[in-house]
Amino acid sequence: MKNRLEEIRKAKGIKQEELAAMLEVSRQTIGSLENGRYNPSIMLAFKIARYFGMSIEDVFIYEEDAQ
């Protein structure tokens, strides 16, 4: 799953550390999300989307495997 987290965060002028504190996760978690090394739980995905006033689909892009 891809995401636009880094793009959205930077557009709002928010540092990784600030976002992590607001979401009650580590800065490393934010970095891993932005780099695609970690997919969030559904609860964290909702928290992120709500924090930015967006829908989950605006932040996270689900790509089905090509068959």
Side-chain angles (χ1 to χ4, degrees):
M1 175 168 47
K2 294 185 178 183
N3 69 72
R4 298 177 49 229
L5 183 56
E6 183 175 15
E7 168 193 342
I8 295 164
R9 177 182 60 75
K10 286 183 175 180
K12 303 277 187 184
I14 300 168
K15 295 181 181 179
Q16 283 186 341
E17 295 83 0
E18 295 168 330
L19 181 59
M22 294 301 297
L23 298 173
E24 300 176 329
V25 298
S26 69
R27 189 210 50 81
Q28 289 83 0
T29 296
I30 300 301
S32 292
L33 283 166
E34 290 182 353
N35 291 318
R37 293 189 308 260
Y38 172 70
N39 288 328
S41 68
I42 192 70
M43 294 302 290
L44 181 54
F46 270 110
K47 281 175 111 174
I48 292 167
R50 285 189 178 157
Y51 177 79
F52 288 112
M54 304 173 101
S55 70
I56 288 177
E57 293 86 358
D58 290 335
V59 181
F60 298 94
I61 300 104
Y62 173 72
E63 296 178 328
E64 292 189 38
D65 293 334
Q67 302 210 9

